[in-house]
Amino acid sequence: MREQVFMNRVLSSELSCKTQTAKREQVFVNRVLSSELSCKTETAMREQVFVNRVLSHELSCKTQTAMREQVFVNRMLSNELSCKTQTAMREKVFVNSVKQ
């Protein structure tokens, strides 16, 4: 009976030590995994910021190009309208002079 009590205490003590060791190992593993996740998250965030900057720059360049093209088209159309207006005015002057 005493041997059984002694053996139970030894086994209980051994189980307690193994449980504490397992808990410490789990805490360590959790810290390592948390640190790794944190690093990967920070890296992903930096990569996203870089991609956003590249895309923003690309959009800005395309917007500026489109605006320049629009200005060019507007000038051409304005010039064409001016020429047609001048031609129409000359024709009107000619028609009026022929009528007189």
Side-chain angles (χ1 to χ4, degrees):
M1 186 77 166
R2 285 187 202 153
E3 290 177 6
Q4 187 63 40
V5 170
F6 175 74
M7 191 58 121
N8 285 348
R9 286 183 182 160
V10 168
L11 291 175
S12 177
S13 176
E14 187 176 329
L15 178 60
S16 177
C17 287
K18 287 183 178 179
T19 302
Q20 289 175 4
T21 301
K23 284 181 180 178
R24 282 194 288 273
E25 289 172 350
Q26 189 60 50
V27 167
F28 175 76
V29 168
N30 287 349
R31 286 182 181 159
V32 169
L33 292 176
S34 176
S35 176
E36 187 177 333
L37 176 61
S38 177
C39 289
K40 287 183 178 179
T41 302
E42 288 176 22
T43 300
M45 287 171 61
R46 282 194 289 273
E47 289 171 352
Q48 189 61 51
V49 166
F50 175 76
V51 168
N52 287 350
R53 286 181 180 160
V54 169
L55 291 176
S56 176
H57 178 72
E58 187 177 333
L59 176 61
S60 175
C61 289
K62 287 182 178 179
T63 301
Q64 289 176 7
T65 299
M67 288 171 61
R68 282 191 216 103
E69 290 171 351
Q70 189 61 51
V71 166
F72 177 75
V73 168
N74 288 350
R75 285 182 181 158
M76 285 184 55
L77 291 175
S78 176
N79 188 36
E80 186 177 335
L81 177 61
S82 176
C83 289
K84 287 182 178 179
T85 302
Q86 289 175 9
T87 301
M89 287 171 61
R90 282 191 208 106
E91 289 172 353
K92 179 94 172 161
V93 168
F94 176 75
V95 167
N96 286 344
S97 69
V98 169
K99 283 183 182 177
Q100 289 175 358

